[in-house]
Amino acid sequence: MSSVVIVGTQWGDEGKGKIVDLLTKHADCIVRFQGGNNAGHTLVVDGQQFIFHIIPSGILYEDKRCMIGNGVIIDPAVLLDEIAELKDKGLPVTPQRLLISENAHLIMEYHKQLDLAQEAARSKGKKIGTTGRGIGPCYVDKVGRVGIKIGDLLDKSLLADKLQANIDEKNFLLTKKFGAEPLSFDLLLDHVLAYGEQLTSYVGNVSLELDTARKAGKHILFEGAQGTQLDIDHGTYPFVTSSNTVAGNACNGTGFGPVHIDAVIGILKAYTTRVGEGPFPTELHDQTGEELQKKGGEFGATTGRKRRCGWLDGVVANDAVRLNGITGLAITKLDVLSGQKSIKMCTSYKLNGSTLHAMPSSIDKATGVQPLYEEHPGWDAEIDGVREFDNLPAQAKDYIRRIEDFTGVEATIVSVGPDREETLLLKNPFEAEK
Ligand code: IMP
């Protein structure tokens, strides 16, 4: 029995989807604990493409139990679309296979409208570059204690009460502050009730079920979304998402006790990318940046936006190791670096004559730091056909060894291409000793 948490170590898009898919094979239960449909990953299985935004990709395996924890926020229309699409592809999503926490909050139409209106109203330099999916406003309501939980869908009069209070306030904001059209209470209530009818059979107590699974000796995989530098507390605030993306939230976001976590796998892309605005010390504005973007196919899975690209940032990696308690690294997209004459890794930042070894919390400082690099020889050969670590080019092995040395964490997985088979599983975290 083991419980393994997967987190992104950078600004998201580290290739978590592929590693989650790989480890899902070894898990009995797969549970998401934060974020919403701002996340997204694409998997191709037997020539069929699947895009996941909310449901854990473990749903592709018939014998796995997938769960959506209380820390996740759910756009019911998107969830139902995802369920319908899977059904069309021959994968019925039954309540036996998917459990949704009754405490997960709903992303409502007004959250999406407010997200878009707020982002549009932000001046240049202040824009966050949100995904426009209503994430921030939904978490604001959750913390402000006016949110609507998926469990509320079971109680029509409670739902109507909560919705009325929200609609009054949100319409005031939409019309008076942003000059937008008001939303209709009746229409919204009808929609939400209809969603409720379709979703209630999936709703239950995730915490209880995880506890039962753990006691029964099952393997549990906690699937994080986004990345450590997008964490609401520890990331490059305010250019962050609105949830805690770090491993600790696997417990809060599902109702699971911290002492039962056995391993934390940090997904580290062999270089760095970021979508949206905000500081990115190792960003490349040159030909190399473009090469990484093209070769890495660096477009956001949710919004299709081009990702900004840069060298690996060891400061960011070490922040992630500390903040998440990472016990093993999954180094992804190593193949994208093939063909680079030399490869740089940032080892510290310079700011006003001082050397920094952690991302500064002040956004002005984080924007002003200069990365200090060490340089490593690159390799020419394409490595996507390599299946044994020892068969990697010596320079690639040295680069990985250097990352291990710098972070103090061993690489347990190395990904050398997008396909399932293009992965070197050096150590199975479900078999790791605590
Ligand atoms: P929000 O989560 O839509 O509020 O967006 C806030 C910031 O997080 C923006 O810079 C987004 O681009 C970024 N973001 C949100 N979700 C993801 C993700 O899954 N991958 C990468 N960046 C993300």
Side-chain angles (χ1 to χ4, degrees), residues 49-83:
Q49 177 170 292
F50 295 88
I51 302 180
F52 295 94
H53 292 291
I54 306 179
I55 302 178
S57 56
I59 205 79
L60 294 176
Y61 295 79
E62 277 185 25
D63 58 336
K64 313 288 177 192
R65 181 81 163 131
C66 291
M67 305 186 202
I68 298 178
N70 55 278
V72 177
I73 52 176
I74 296 172
D75 183 329
V78 174
L79 175 60
L80 286 166
D81 275 355
E82 224 165 275
I83 292 175

mmCIF file of all heavy atoms in Angstrom, residues 49-83:
data_model
loop_
_atom_site.group_PDB
_atom_site.id
_atom_site.type_symbol
_atom_site.label_atom_id
_atom_site.label_comp_id
_atom_site.label_asym_id
_atom_site.label_seq_id
_atom_site.Cartn_x
_atom_site.Cartn_y
_atom_site.Cartn_z
ATOM 1 N N GLN A 49 -7.511 10.087 -29.487
ATOM 2 C CA GLN A 49 -7.062 11.199 -28.644
ATOM 3 C C GLN A 49 -8.081 11.496 -27.537
ATOM 4 O O GLN A 49 -9.282 11.565 -27.789
ATOM 5 C CB GLN A 49 -6.873 12.432 -29.509
ATOM 6 C CG GLN A 49 -6.472 13.645 -28.695
ATOM 7 C CD GLN A 49 -6.055 14.813 -29.564
ATOM 8 O OE1 GLN A 49 -5.036 14.774 -30.225
ATOM 9 N NE2 GLN A 49 -6.845 15.860 -29.548
ATOM 10 N N PHE A 50 -7.572 11.650 -26.331
ATOM 11 C CA PHE A 50 -8.426 12.007 -25.193
ATOM 12 C C PHE A 50 -7.876 13.285 -24.567
ATOM 13 O O PHE A 50 -6.685 13.369 -24.299
ATOM 14 C CB PHE A 50 -8.412 10.900 -24.138
ATOM 15 C CG PHE A 50 -9.002 9.604 -24.605
ATOM 16 C CD1 PHE A 50 -8.213 8.656 -25.253
ATOM 17 C CD2 PHE A 50 -10.348 9.318 -24.411
ATOM 18 C CE1 PHE A 50 -8.750 7.457 -25.692
ATOM 19 C CE2 PHE A 50 -10.893 8.124 -24.837
ATOM 20 C CZ PHE A 50 -10.098 7.183 -25.484
ATOM 21 N N ILE A 51 -8.763 14.254 -24.348
ATOM 22 C CA ILE A 51 -8.325 15.477 -23.657
ATOM 23 C C ILE A 51 -9.054 15.545 -22.317
ATOM 24 O O ILE A 51 -10.281 15.461 -22.264
ATOM 25 C CB ILE A 51 -8.624 16.735 -24.494
ATOM 26 C CG1 ILE A 51 -7.911 16.612 -25.848
ATOM 27 C CG2 ILE A 51 -8.155 18.000 -23.769
ATOM 28 C CD1 ILE A 51 -8.115 17.795 -26.773
ATOM 29 N N PHE A 52 -8.267 15.654 -21.269
ATOM 30 C CA PHE A 52 -8.845 15.682 -19.918
ATOM 31 C C PHE A 52 -8.648 17.052 -19.285
ATOM 32 O O PHE A 52 -7.552 17.593 -19.306
ATOM 33 C CB PHE A 52 -8.164 14.631 -19.029
ATOM 34 C CG PHE A 52 -8.425 13.230 -19.481
ATOM 35 C CD1 PHE A 52 -7.530 12.585 -20.325
ATOM 36 C CD2 PHE A 52 -9.570 12.563 -19.096
ATOM 37 C CE1 PHE A 52 -7.773 11.302 -20.767
ATOM 38 C CE2 PHE A 52 -9.825 11.276 -19.526
ATOM 39 C CZ PHE A 52 -8.928 10.640 -20.371
ATOM 40 N N HIS A 53 -9.721 17.583 -18.724
ATOM 41 C CA HIS A 53 -9.606 18.847 -17.994
ATOM 42 C C HIS A 53 -9.981 18.670 -16.525
ATOM 43 O O HIS A 53 -9.489 19.383 -15.666
ATOM 44 C CB HIS A 53 -10.505 19.910 -18.624
ATOM 45 C CG HIS A 53 -10.037 20.318 -19.989
ATOM 46 N ND1 HIS A 53 -8.889 21.035 -20.185
ATOM 47 C CD2 HIS A 53 -10.539 20.087 -21.227
ATOM 48 C CE1 HIS A 53 -8.705 21.256 -21.474
ATOM 49 N NE2 HIS A 53 -9.693 20.676 -22.131
ATOM 50 N N ILE A 54 -10.873 17.748 -16.239
ATOM 51 C CA ILE A 54 -11.308 17.573 -14.845
ATOM 52 C C ILE A 54 -11.169 16.119 -14.384
ATOM 53 O O ILE A 54 -10.621 15.851 -13.318
ATOM 54 C CB ILE A 54 -12.787 17.997 -14.666
ATOM 55 C CG1 ILE A 54 -12.996 19.420 -15.181
ATOM 56 C CG2 ILE A 54 -13.169 17.930 -13.185
ATOM 57 C CD1 ILE A 54 -14.417 19.893 -15.052
ATOM 58 N N ILE A 55 -11.672 15.209 -15.182
ATOM 59 C CA ILE A 55 -11.658 13.806 -14.756
ATOM 60 C C ILE A 55 -10.227 13.269 -14.825
ATOM 61 O O ILE A 55 -9.530 13.505 -15.812
ATOM 62 C CB ILE A 55 -12.565 12.955 -15.676
ATOM 63 C CG1 ILE A 55 -13.997 13.495 -15.653
ATOM 64 C CG2 ILE A 55 -12.538 11.483 -15.263
ATOM 65 C CD1 ILE A 55 -14.956 12.749 -16.568
ATOM 66 N N PRO A 56 -9.769 12.559 -13.801
ATOM 67 C CA PRO A 56 -8.442 11.958 -13.889
ATOM 68 C C PRO A 56 -8.367 10.997 -15.088
ATOM 69 O O PRO A 56 -9.330 10.280 -15.374
ATOM 70 C CB PRO A 56 -8.304 11.187 -12.562
ATOM 71 C CG PRO A 56 -9.265 11.838 -11.639
ATOM 72 C CD PRO A 56 -10.401 12.316 -12.494
ATOM 73 N N SER A 57 -7.215 11.021 -15.755
ATOM 74 C CA SER A 57 -7.086 10.197 -16.958
ATOM 75 C C SER A 57 -7.130 8.704 -16.623
ATOM 76 O O SER A 57 -7.262 7.865 -17.520
ATOM 77 C CB SER A 57 -5.800 10.540 -17.704
ATOM 78 O OG SER A 57 -4.697 10.396 -16.846
ATOM 79 N N GLY A 58 -7.044 8.388 -15.332
ATOM 80 C CA GLY A 58 -7.171 7.000 -14.894
ATOM 81 C C GLY A 58 -8.487 6.368 -15.331
ATOM 82 O O GLY A 58 -8.635 5.147 -15.346
ATOM 83 N N ILE A 59 -9.433 7.195 -15.718
ATOM 84 C CA ILE A 59 -10.735 6.709 -16.169
ATOM 85 C C ILE A 59 -10.574 5.835 -17.421
ATOM 86 O O ILE A 59 -11.465 5.038 -17.748
ATOM 87 C CB ILE A 59 -11.691 7.915 -16.421
ATOM 88 C CG1 ILE A 59 -13.146 7.509 -16.279
ATOM 89 C CG2 ILE A 59 -11.433 8.588 -17.736
ATOM 90 C CD1 ILE A 59 -13.643 7.391 -14.887
ATOM 91 N N LEU A 60 -9.444 5.964 -18.096
ATOM 92 C CA LEU A 60 -9.190 5.128 -19.282
ATOM 93 C C LEU A 60 -9.013 3.659 -18.903
ATOM 94 O O LEU A 60 -9.112 2.786 -19.760
ATOM 95 C CB LEU A 60 -7.941 5.615 -20.030
ATOM 96 C CG LEU A 60 -8.030 7.006 -20.673
ATOM 97 C CD1 LEU A 60 -6.702 7.400 -21.284
ATOM 98 C CD2 LEU A 60 -9.119 7.036 -21.737
ATOM 99 N N TYR A 61 -8.700 3.414 -17.638
ATOM 100 C CA TYR A 61 -8.535 2.029 -17.169
ATOM 101 C C TYR A 61 -9.830 1.607 -16.471
ATOM 102 O O TYR A 61 -10.254 2.271 -15.523
ATOM 103 C CB TYR A 61 -7.396 1.926 -16.158
ATOM 104 C CG TYR A 61 -6.026 2.232 -16.692
ATOM 105 C CD1 TYR A 61 -5.597 3.545 -16.869
ATOM 106 C CD2 TYR A 61 -5.129 1.201 -16.995
ATOM 107 C CE1 TYR A 61 -4.324 3.833 -17.342
ATOM 108 C CE2 TYR A 61 -3.850 1.490 -17.463
ATOM 109 C CZ TYR A 61 -3.464 2.799 -17.621
ATOM 110 O OH TYR A 61 -2.200 3.077 -18.087
ATOM 111 N N GLU A 62 -10.386 0.512 -16.912
ATOM 112 C CA GLU A 62 -11.699 0.129 -16.368
ATOM 113 C C GLU A 62 -11.671 -0.252 -14.893
ATOM 114 O O GLU A 62 -12.664 -0.130 -14.191
ATOM 115 C CB GLU A 62 -12.285 -1.014 -17.190
ATOM 116 C CG GLU A 62 -12.978 -0.459 -18.421
ATOM 117 C CD GLU A 62 -13.682 -1.500 -19.239
ATOM 118 O OE1 GLU A 62 -14.059 -2.542 -18.676
ATOM 119 O OE2 GLU A 62 -13.836 -1.257 -20.446
ATOM 120 N N ASP A 63 -10.510 -0.712 -14.418
ATOM 121 C CA ASP A 63 -10.465 -1.219 -13.043
ATOM 122 C C ASP A 63 -9.997 -0.174 -12.033
ATOM 123 O O ASP A 63 -9.696 -0.503 -10.888
ATOM 124 C CB ASP A 63 -9.543 -2.450 -12.981
ATOM 125 C CG ASP A 63 -8.140 -2.133 -13.467
ATOM 126 O OD1 ASP A 63 -7.989 -1.162 -14.253
ATOM 127 O OD2 ASP A 63 -7.193 -2.834 -13.064
ATOM 128 N N LYS A 64 -9.902 1.078 -12.446
ATOM 129 C CA LYS A 64 -9.430 2.107 -11.502
ATOM 130 C C LYS A 64 -10.604 2.932 -10.986
ATOM 131 O O LYS A 64 -11.561 3.173 -11.695
ATOM 132 C CB LYS A 64 -8.445 3.072 -12.177
ATOM 133 C CG LYS A 64 -7.351 2.420 -12.988
ATOM 134 C CD LYS A 64 -6.303 1.746 -12.135
ATOM 135 C CE LYS A 64 -5.278 1.052 -13.018
ATOM 136 N NZ LYS A 64 -4.404 0.151 -12.281
ATOM 137 N N ARG A 65 -10.456 3.372 -9.749
ATOM 138 C CA ARG A 65 -11.461 4.244 -9.145
ATOM 139 C C ARG A 65 -10.931 5.676 -9.240
ATOM 140 O O ARG A 65 -9.850 5.977 -8.708
ATOM 141 C CB ARG A 65 -11.625 3.841 -7.673
ATOM 142 C CG ARG A 65 -12.653 4.646 -6.929
ATOM 143 C CD ARG A 65 -14.027 4.136 -7.202
ATOM 144 N NE ARG A 65 -14.994 4.603 -6.213
ATOM 145 C CZ ARG A 65 -16.162 5.146 -6.538
ATOM 146 N NH1 ARG A 65 -16.498 5.311 -7.804
ATOM 147 N NH2 ARG A 65 -17.009 5.505 -5.589
ATOM 148 N N CYS A 66 -11.655 6.555 -9.905
ATOM 149 C CA CYS A 66 -11.210 7.945 -10.041
ATOM 150 C C CYS A 66 -12.033 8.834 -9.130
ATOM 151 O O CYS A 66 -13.233 8.617 -8.958
ATOM 152 C CB CYS A 66 -11.372 8.406 -11.488
ATOM 153 S SG CYS A 66 -10.218 7.573 -12.566
ATOM 154 N N MET A 67 -11.373 9.823 -8.569
ATOM 155 C CA MET A 67 -12.075 10.704 -7.625
ATOM 156 C C MET A 67 -11.703 12.163 -7.869
ATOM 157 O O MET A 67 -10.595 12.456 -8.328
ATOM 158 C CB MET A 67 -11.698 10.351 -6.182
ATOM 159 C CG MET A 67 -11.947 8.901 -5.842
ATOM 160 S SD MET A 67 -11.651 8.602 -4.099
ATOM 161 C CE MET A 67 -11.367 6.836 -4.140
ATOM 162 N N ILE A 68 -12.648 13.024 -7.551
ATOM 163 C CA ILE A 68 -12.412 14.462 -7.628
ATOM 164 C C ILE A 68 -12.624 14.998 -6.220
ATOM 165 O O ILE A 68 -13.720 14.899 -5.664
ATOM 166 C CB ILE A 68 -13.384 15.114 -8.641
ATOM 167 C CG1 ILE A 68 -13.116 14.531 -10.052
ATOM 168 C CG2 ILE A 68 -13.235 16.631 -8.629
ATOM 169 C CD1 ILE A 68 -14.032 15.062 -11.131
ATOM 170 N N GLY A 69 -11.557 15.524 -5.648
ATOM 171 C CA GLY A 69 -11.590 15.914 -4.236
ATOM 172 C C GLY A 69 -12.263 17.249 -4.005
ATOM 173 O O GLY A 69 -12.575 17.999 -4.946
ATOM 174 N N ASN A 70 -12.455 17.560 -2.722
ATOM 175 C CA ASN A 70 -13.125 18.796 -2.328
ATOM 176 C C ASN A 70 -12.360 20.048 -2.745
ATOM 177 O O ASN A 70 -12.929 21.129 -2.869
ATOM 178 C CB ASN A 70 -13.329 18.815 -0.812
ATOM 179 C CG ASN A 70 -12.033 18.612 -0.058
ATOM 180 O OD1 ASN A 70 -11.588 17.470 0.112
ATOM 181 N ND2 ASN A 70 -11.401 19.685 0.379
ATOM 182 N N GLY A 71 -11.050 19.926 -2.965
ATOM 183 C CA GLY A 71 -10.239 21.097 -3.327
ATOM 184 C C GLY A 71 -10.380 21.487 -4.787
ATOM 185 O O GLY A 71 -9.908 22.551 -5.199
ATOM 186 N N VAL A 72 -11.035 20.632 -5.556
ATOM 187 C CA VAL A 72 -11.209 20.911 -6.991
ATOM 188 C C VAL A 72 -12.445 21.785 -7.167
ATOM 189 O O VAL A 72 -13.406 21.686 -6.401
ATOM 190 C CB VAL A 72 -11.385 19.581 -7.764
ATOM 191 C CG1 VAL A 72 -11.649 19.826 -9.249
ATOM 192 C CG2 VAL A 72 -10.157 18.697 -7.576
ATOM 193 N N ILE A 73 -12.424 22.640 -8.171
ATOM 194 C CA ILE A 73 -13.643 23.376 -8.513
ATOM 195 C C ILE A 73 -14.107 22.894 -9.882
ATOM 196 O O ILE A 73 -13.303 22.630 -10.773
ATOM 197 C CB ILE A 73 -13.437 24.899 -8.465
ATOM 198 C CG1 ILE A 73 -12.224 25.324 -9.295
ATOM 199 C CG2 ILE A 73 -13.268 25.357 -7.024
ATOM 200 C CD1 ILE A 73 -12.043 26.825 -9.364
ATOM 201 N N ILE A 74 -15.430 22.763 -9.997
ATOM 202 C CA ILE A 74 -15.976 22.035 -11.149
ATOM 203 C C ILE A 74 -16.923 22.900 -11.958
ATOM 204 O O ILE A 74 -17.912 23.425 -11.432
ATOM 205 C CB ILE A 74 -16.742 20.793 -10.645
ATOM 206 C CG1 ILE A 74 -15.763 19.838 -9.945
ATOM 207 C CG2 ILE A 74 -17.440 20.077 -11.793
ATOM 208 C CD1 ILE A 74 -16.453 18.684 -9.250
ATOM 209 N N ASP A 75 -16.617 23.025 -13.238
ATOM 210 C CA ASP A 75 -17.588 23.619 -14.165
ATOM 211 C C ASP A 75 -18.461 22.459 -14.635
ATOM 212 O O ASP A 75 -18.003 21.589 -15.383
ATOM 213 C CB ASP A 75 -16.843 24.269 -15.344
ATOM 214 C CG ASP A 75 -17.797 24.961 -16.297
ATOM 215 O OD1 ASP A 75 -18.950 24.496 -16.428
ATOM 216 O OD2 ASP A 75 -17.390 25.961 -16.909
ATOM 217 N N PRO A 76 -19.733 22.431 -14.194
ATOM 218 C CA PRO A 76 -20.543 21.235 -14.460
ATOM 219 C C PRO A 76 -20.741 20.965 -15.949
ATOM 220 O O PRO A 76 -20.793 19.811 -16.364
ATOM 221 C CB PRO A 76 -21.878 21.527 -13.771
ATOM 222 C CG PRO A 76 -21.881 22.984 -13.468
ATOM 223 C CD PRO A 76 -20.471 23.453 -13.426
ATOM 224 N N ALA A 77 -20.817 22.037 -16.739
ATOM 225 C CA ALA A 77 -21.020 21.835 -18.184
ATOM 226 C C ALA A 77 -19.794 21.136 -18.785
ATOM 227 O O ALA A 77 -19.923 20.216 -19.606
ATOM 228 C CB ALA A 77 -21.265 23.171 -18.866
ATOM 229 N N VAL A 78 -18.614 21.553 -18.338
ATOM 230 C CA VAL A 78 -17.381 20.959 -18.872
ATOM 231 C C VAL A 78 -17.264 19.501 -18.419
ATOM 232 O O VAL A 78 -16.902 18.611 -19.197
ATOM 233 C CB VAL A 78 -16.149 21.780 -18.415
ATOM 234 C CG1 VAL A 78 -14.848 21.109 -18.837
ATOM 235 C CG2 VAL A 78 -16.220 23.191 -18.983
ATOM 236 N N LEU A 79 -17.605 19.266 -17.163
ATOM 237 C CA LEU A 79 -17.533 17.888 -16.647
ATOM 238 C C LEU A 79 -18.493 16.974 -17.419
ATOM 239 O O LEU A 79 -18.126 15.863 -17.830
ATOM 240 C CB LEU A 79 -17.870 17.878 -15.151
ATOM 241 C CG LEU A 79 -17.944 16.503 -14.491
ATOM 242 C CD1 LEU A 79 -16.612 15.760 -14.601
ATOM 243 C CD2 LEU A 79 -18.334 16.620 -13.022
ATOM 244 N N LEU A 80 -19.714 17.461 -17.643
ATOM 245 C CA LEU A 80 -20.690 16.628 -18.361
ATOM 246 C C LEU A 80 -20.257 16.399 -19.805
ATOM 247 O O LEU A 80 -20.454 15.308 -20.353
ATOM 248 C CB LEU A 80 -22.083 17.272 -18.283
ATOM 249 C CG LEU A 80 -22.735 17.123 -16.905
ATOM 250 C CD1 LEU A 80 -23.932 18.044 -16.755
ATOM 251 C CD2 LEU A 80 -23.140 15.663 -16.645
ATOM 252 N N ASP A 81 -19.648 17.408 -20.419
ATOM 253 C CA ASP A 81 -19.115 17.226 -21.783
ATOM 254 C C ASP A 81 -18.042 16.149 -21.796
ATOM 255 O O ASP A 81 -17.982 15.321 -22.701
ATOM 256 C CB ASP A 81 -18.460 18.526 -22.288
ATOM 257 C CG ASP A 81 -19.493 19.454 -22.892
ATOM 258 O OD1 ASP A 81 -20.665 19.033 -22.986
ATOM 259 O OD2 ASP A 81 -19.126 20.594 -23.243
ATOM 260 N N GLU A 82 -17.179 16.209 -20.771
ATOM 261 C CA GLU A 82 -16.085 15.235 -20.700
ATOM 262 C C GLU A 82 -16.659 13.818 -20.545
ATOM 263 O O GLU A 82 -16.207 12.873 -21.187
ATOM 264 C CB GLU A 82 -15.172 15.583 -19.522
ATOM 265 C CG GLU A 82 -13.702 15.480 -19.879
ATOM 266 C CD GLU A 82 -12.789 16.149 -18.855
ATOM 267 O OE1 GLU A 82 -12.585 17.360 -18.964
ATOM 268 O OE2 GLU A 82 -12.289 15.468 -17.945
ATOM 269 N N ILE A 83 -17.685 13.699 -19.692
ATOM 270 C CA ILE A 83 -18.331 12.397 -19.483
ATOM 271 C C ILE A 83 -18.958 11.909 -20.793
ATOM 272 O O ILE A 83 -18.807 10.749 -21.193
ATOM 273 C CB ILE A 83 -19.394 12.496 -18.355
ATOM 274 C CG1 ILE A 83 -18.695 12.728 -17.006
ATOM 275 C CG2 ILE A 83 -20.265 11.243 -18.314
ATOM 276 C CD1 ILE A 83 -19.642 12.972 -15.831
#
